Amino acid sequence: MSEKNREARRSARERLQQERAAEKTREKRKRVLVVASTVVGVLGVVAVIGVVAAKAGKDGTSDAAGPVLAPSGVSGKDELAIPVGAPDAPSTLTVWEDFRCPACAQFENAFRSTIHELENKGQLKVEYHLATIIDGNMGGTGSLHAANAAACAQDVGKFAPYHDELYKNQPAETDDAFAKNSRLLELAGKVEGLESAPGFRQCVQGGDHNNWVNKSATAFRTGGFTGTPTVLLNGEAVFPKKGNENITPDNLKKWVKEANRGKKPGTAPPETTSVG
């Protein structure tokens, strides 16, 4: 083999090694998406649900100074939980979510009717915690603005239906449509009485709860959670599985029934949530 040919082969190997190294670097920078398949409904429809890993470091929260204005009726540690359902329900589902997170929308859209059914029967209350990791991963402010708008809806007693509308109308992950208050107010128009509720529009446009959302996002980032959605039933992780069992609507009902055995259901919440 001529020296010229050996040199050409050496150059080709070096280029291949460089390309492989570059590919590994790109992979490390990508957000991890762990996809779990779960059976949804009695027809056995398969829903793909993922856990979006949180980036290390900042997750899109701002460093704006100012007072932390919590929405009305929040509960839990540092008043960071938005409760839905009967306060005295025997079981609690804790959910950490990001309104821009596709896996969160898949979870909500697959389990919405089951969760609302358990809420309305007084078997389960849900404590929602809001995160903003997609703003950090993808750029933009849609996670923050949507969470603020949801907190504004909580102020006027409309969090649950507005929360559902946001997930039903979630844009593509790369589309920061929720950064626009006009879009958030448009979706509020789908919830009866929300858009015209006193103070709601001003709360959304003024970002009244932004610092509270940032505080919640910091709690998520420092809380040892691996991604959104994080779902806990009475403190035990149940997403994407509980023990060796995958989460499905039927399994969630079964787990709640087992946890509530011998306990009285909670009283009816002040405002029942809509199913669908």
Side-chain angles (χ1 to χ4, degrees):
M1 182 183 295
S2 68
E3 183 63 30
K4 183 176 181 180
N5 287 340
R6 281 196 293 271
E7 186 64 30
R9 292 186 63 179
R10 185 181 306 111
S11 298
R13 285 197 300 271
E14 290 174 352
R15 284 197 301 273
L16 181 60
Q17 290 171 351
Q18 290 171 355
E19 289 172 359
R20 288 175 176 173
E23 178 64 23
K24 288 181 180 179
T25 300
R26 285 194 294 270
E27 287 298 321
K28 288 180 181 179
R29 290 174 180 170
K30 286 183 180 179
R31 183 175 46 83
V32 179
L33 179 64
V34 181
V35 178
S37 294
T38 182
V39 177
V40 178
V42 295
L43 297 179
V45 179
V46 176
V48 178
I49 297 178
V51 178
V52 182
K55 245 186 175 182
K58 294 230 171 187
D59 55 7
T61 62
S62 71
D63 293 323
V68 174
L69 179 61
S72 301
V74 290
S75 61
K77 183 180 179 182
D78 295 328
E79 296 187 325
L80 294 178
I82 296 180
V84 176
D88 56 347
S91 282
T92 300
L93 194 71
T94 303
V95 182
W96 287 86
E97 291 184 323
D98 180 333
F99 285 111
R100 286 183 71 188
C101 162
C104 297
Q106 289 168 344
F107 170 77
E108 284 294 340
N109 294 332
F111 287 86
R112 179 180 299 116
S113 61
T114 300
I115 291 173
H116 286 340
E117 177 185 342
L118 292 168
E119 288 169 350
N120 292 330
K121 288 181 177 179
Q123 299 296 321
L124 184 72
K125 64 177 178 288
V126 184
E127 294 182 346
Y128 288 99
H129 295 259
L130 308 182
T132 61
I133 66 172
I134 305 300
D135 284 356
N137 289 348
M138 304 297 296
T141 57
S143 299
L144 173 63
H145 288 184
N148 171 70
C152 295
Q154 169 67 12
D155 284 337
V156 295
K158 299 287 185 179
F159 170 81
Y162 186 56
H163 163 276
D164 292 352
E165 284 299 332
L166 289 174
Y167 279 118
K168 289 176 185 177
N169 294 277
Q170 185 189 72
E173 186 178 15
T174 55
D175 180 0
D176 197 23
F178 282 171
K180 299 177 181 178
N181 288 331
S182 58
R183 177 55 176 162
L184 297 171
L185 291 169
E186 179 185 356
L187 292 177
K190 295 177 177 288
V191 177
E192 184 178 359
L194 176 56
E195 190 178 16
S196 60
F200 173 74
R201 177 179 289 270
Q202 293 87 340
C203 180
V204 172
Q205 294 175 331
D208 288 6
H209 297 303
N210 281 356
N211 286 334
W212 177 82
V213 174
N214 286 340
K215 183 178 179 180
S216 179
T218 297
F220 174 83
R221 191 175 66 247
T222 61
F225 304 108
T226 58
T228 55
T230 290
V231 185
L232 311 171
L233 177 61
N234 299 322
E236 181 181 1
V238 294
F239 181 90
K241 58 176 59 180
K242 176 178 180 286
N244 294 321
E245 293 184 278
N246 288 331
I247 188 171
T248 66
D250 284 343
N251 275 346
L252 181 58
K253 289 180 181 179
K254 181 185 73 171
W255 298 336
V256 170
K257 183 177 180 180
E258 291 171 350
N260 292 354
R261 188 171 288 119
K263 300 176 184 178
K264 294 181 180 179
T267 57
E271 182 179 0
T272 58
T273 53
S274 61
V275 177

